[in-house]
């Protein structure tokens, strides 16, 4: 198919000599080409702007606009369009200049008919290959860039291929990965590619809601079921019926709520807090966590049966440091976004800035990269984004960076003294310090230690600290 969408290739011919123009028209007549003829470069340029064309054939010497100027304009507007030039026998240097400017081939006057027709066939074959390559590249971009997800790296391409495979099913999905890797974007992609795409997508962050309110948020409540329940409220399970329910940071739920979530998933039935009526639901269930749930199961902070119920189809998102091919493309997506918001022109990225981006460990993953680019966009004053705008430095090889909980980065690692020390005493001391710094707030203490609230509760009980209400205040 031609560039115009018609089955016959479209050829534009620019020639000021009437005799030669008619000769080319006669040679190409009946060959299956769509022909458009122009008497000079200016007329040909007007035709080209109304195109597109699969091939342009132009004389070099023409009035108003010569062939070199026409070639230059065509290549600026559509670099993939092949242009063949025609020149006098004694002006080979003009043909060489045209080839250097991007012409695909040339013919000298007077030209041999067979050679002329063969050159046209060759040019159109190259045009077809370029067109097919463009289509393939576009399909790859569409396939591996879902809803803003940049996936140039093999790891992320595998993730998106997995997303496509599971989207059509109703299987429960568990998305894992470090904080800031884009777990919710992947989850939304699963929903948007699924048969439930027209239904609701309901998300809730289990770590952001206090434990005593989470049950009501998930299952709803009846009027008067607890202090402050002044009216009946539908929970997220009800609201998501017919669509997808996404429980982010599911590892932060208490064992009591885990049991109720397990039953709701298995039976597709819930009861509101304070109610006794069974409510049917129809949801696709997706969970996400930045924790190692198998380890949490071993520690007793996460239910074994719930883990196996939600881990039917796991999708792991690799950290940004393991997908270097995505860093610069992601950075440019954010540059475009923030510059548009700030009314600034889109800059180019300097080579040293790109090197700095690639050398940085990105412990906070995509979220950290986005924040860094926002800062750079604020600092940007010219047309080039440099490493100075980024404000990041390449780490020394001796530095180490955590693979989880990047907010807990420290300047120096703990050094074991030569005399040794008690691991349990050290752990107990850390717990007490975290509680003191958080003024007894368990949620903040857990965040300081880089563990879930349930894990913190387990360790407090282990050292008999849970009963000391003077030290441990619930949040």
């Amino acid at each position: 198919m031609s560039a115009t969408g018609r089955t016959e290739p479209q050829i534009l011919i620019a020639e000021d000599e009437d005799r030669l123009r008619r000769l080319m028209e006669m040679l190409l007549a009946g060959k299956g080409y769509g022909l458009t003829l122009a008497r000079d470069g200016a007329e040909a340029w007007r035709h080209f702007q109304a195109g597109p064309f699969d091939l342009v054939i132009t004389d070099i010497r023409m009035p108003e606009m010569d062939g070199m100027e026409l070639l230059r304009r065509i290549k600026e507007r559509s670099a993939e369009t092949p242009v063949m030039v025609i020149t006098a026998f004694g002006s080979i240097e003009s043909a060489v200049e045209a080839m250097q400017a991007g012409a695909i081939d040339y013919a000298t006057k007077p030209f041999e008919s067979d050679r002329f027709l063969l050159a046209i066939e060759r040019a159109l074959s190259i045009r077809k290959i370029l067109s097919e390559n463009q289509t393939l590249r576009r399909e790859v971009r569409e396939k591996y860039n879902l809803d803003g997800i940049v996936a140039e790296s093999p790891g992320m391409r595998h993730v998106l291929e997995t997303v496509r495979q599971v989207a059509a099913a109703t299987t429960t999905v568990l998305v894992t990965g470090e904080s800031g890797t884009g777990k919710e974007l992947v989850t939304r992609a699963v929903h948007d590619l699924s048969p439930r795409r027209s239904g609701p997508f309901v998300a809730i962050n289990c770590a952001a809601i206090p434990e005593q309110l989470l049950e009501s948020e998930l299952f709803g409540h009846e009027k008067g079921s607890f202090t402050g329940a002044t009216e009946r409220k539908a929970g997220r399970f009800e609201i998501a019926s017919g669509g997808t329910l996404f429980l982010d940071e599911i590892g932060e739920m208490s064992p009591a709520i885990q049991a109720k979530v397990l039953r709701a998933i298995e039976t597709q039935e819930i009861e509101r807090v304070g109610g006794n009526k069974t409510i049917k639901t129809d949801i696709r269930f997706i969970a996400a966590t930045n924790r190692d749930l198998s380890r949490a199961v071993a520690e007793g902070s996460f239910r074994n049966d719930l883990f196996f119920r939600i881990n039917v189809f796991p999708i792991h998102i690799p950290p940004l440091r393991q997908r270097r091919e995505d860093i610069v493309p992601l950075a440019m997506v954010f540059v475009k976004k923030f510059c548009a918001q700030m009314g600034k022109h889109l800059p180019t990225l300097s080579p040293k800035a790109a090197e700095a981006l690639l050398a940085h460990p990105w412990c906070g993953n995509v979220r950290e990269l986005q924040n860094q680019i926002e800062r750079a966009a604020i600092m940007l004053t010219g047309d080039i984004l440099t490493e100075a705008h980024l404000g990041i430095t390449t780490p020394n090889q001796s530095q180490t960076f955590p693979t989880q909980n990047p907010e807990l980065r420290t300047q120096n690692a703990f050094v074991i003294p030569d005399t040794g020390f008690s691991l349990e005493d050290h752990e107990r001391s850390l717990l007490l310090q975290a509680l003191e710094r958080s003024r007894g707030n368990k949620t903040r203490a857990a965040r300081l230690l880089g563990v879930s609230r349930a894990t913190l509760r387990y360790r407090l009980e282990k050292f008999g600290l849970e009963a000391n209400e003077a030290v441990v205040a619930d949040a």
Side-chain angles (χ1 to χ4, degrees), residues 190-220:
V190 173
H191 171 76
D192 291 341
L193 293 173
S194 75
R196 293 172 174 261
R197 66 179 68 89
S198 59
F201 177 87
V202 179
I204 182 170
N205 189 327
C206 301
I209 300 174
E211 181 181 348
Q212 50 270 51
L213 297 181
L214 183 58
E215 183 179 3
S216 172
E217 285 294 323
L218 289 172
F219 305 109

Side-chain angles (χ1 to χ4, degrees), residues 221-223 229-234 272:
H221 62 254
E222 297 290 347
K223 180 179 179 180
T230 57
E231 59 184 15
R232 174 185 289 176
K233 176 184 176 181
R272 298 191 188 103

Side-chain angles (χ1 to χ4, degrees), residues 251-262:
E252 307 305 313
M253 290 192 308
S254 69
I257 297 182
Q258 290 176 30
K260 294 184 178 182
V261 168
L262 173 62

Side-chain angles (χ1 to χ4, degrees), residues 48 73-83 102 130 134:
F48 186 83
R73 292 192 181 190
I74 289 173
K75 288 301 175 181
E76 285 180 354
R77 185 183 181 95
S78 176
E80 71 278 4
T81 300
V83 179
L130 289 173
Q134 276 193 320

